[in-house]
Amino acid sequence: VDTSGTYSQELGKAQALIGYILGTLNPGDSFAVARVKSRSFSEKDIVAKVTFVKDPLQANAQKRAFREQVAKFSREAAKQGSAYTDITGGLIQAAEFLNETGAGRKTILVYSDMQEELDYKTVRDFPIELSGIGIVALNVTKLTTDNVDPRRYLDRMSWWEKRVKTAGAIEWRVVNDLE
């Protein structure tokens, strides 16, 4: 979940989407939510993670606790967004988490405008590894500059598609209609 600048205003929608996804998960599934901020390659940025137990009652209690953790994160992140947006670091951290779970099906949902902005110290211009993982960009809002020149948006989406496919991702999709 992108917490940078004006995109932090989208946290309410992200929280609703996370609630919906929780409702679709089954015992044995793993799920995590992490923030994308100035530097996102850190386990500290994983704000909630869970692998659901087989017992349905306990799994429901896990879902409630997860929702509470995400709600707390949303309240805190809405107060102060980050200055930069390290999407690449977030993807690397997410892939690491998914590979550690041993999941058979792996999907990273990126809730962002997909405008990566890094400070001058942060290095992300190297090949990344996303083999066997599907990537879905959600709620990719168009920036003011995209409205002036739509090629900027189209080029940004094309650049990310190439980046994740080159990294071995099995899928790249953009879903803006969250209904």
Side-chain angles (χ1 to χ4, degrees):
V1 177
D2 187 341
T3 61
S4 67
T6 58
Y7 203 81
S8 64
Q9 297 169 3
E10 300 292 321
L11 288 169
K13 290 180 188 175
Q15 191 174 347
L17 180 64
I18 291 164
Y20 171 79
I21 292 168
L22 276 173
T24 68
L25 297 174
N26 297 309
D29 289 346
S30 295
F31 187 48
V33 171
R35 80 183 99 229
V36 172
K37 59 179 192 161
S38 296
R39 290 197 186 108
S40 301
F41 181 61
S42 171
E43 286 193 19
K44 293 177 195 169
D45 291 318
I46 299 173
V47 297
K49 64 182 177 178
V50 66
T51 297
F52 296 106
V53 296
K54 300 245 184 267
D55 176 46
L57 291 175
Q58 286 181 326
N60 282 338
Q62 288 177 297
K63 289 179 182 184
R64 280 192 299 279
F66 194 95
R67 274 191 191 92
E68 289 171 15
Q69 288 175 303
V70 170
K72 181 181 177 194
F73 151 70
S74 292
R75 285 190 303 272
E76 291 171 2
K79 292 177 189 172
Q80 183 178 13
S82 64
Y84 298 98
T85 313
D86 178 18
I87 297 168
T88 300
L91 287 173
I92 297 168
Q93 185 63 47
E96 213 172 71
F97 168 79
L98 287 171
N99 290 330
E100 287 173 6
T101 67
R105 183 171 168 219
K106 303 171 192 169
T107 304
I108 298 173
L109 305 173
V110 184
Y111 199 87
S112 172
D113 59 19
M114 300 306 292
Q115 179 67 44
E116 184 161 71
E117 297 171 297
L118 305 172
D119 66 20
Y120 71 96
K121 293 179 185 177
T122 305
V123 178
R124 298 293 185 254
D125 60 345
F126 53 85
I128 60 175
E129 180 59 44
L130 300 172
S131 293
I133 300 173
I135 310 294
V136 182
L138 299 165
N139 196 48
V140 184
T141 57
K142 293 171 182 73
L143 307 170
T144 303
T145 53
D146 298 335
N147 194 22
V148 172
D149 183 355
R151 293 174 297 183
R152 290 179 54 100
Y153 174 83
L154 298 171
D155 289 348
R156 188 166 67 251
M157 294 305 98
S158 179
W159 186 88
W160 277 109
E161 180 175 20
K162 182 179 178 190
R163 175 121 167 113
V164 302
K165 291 281 182 124
T166 300
I170 57 173
E171 175 184 32
W172 164 258
R173 280 191 303 150
V174 177
V175 178
N176 287 326
D177 182 4
L178 298 182
E179 296 302 319

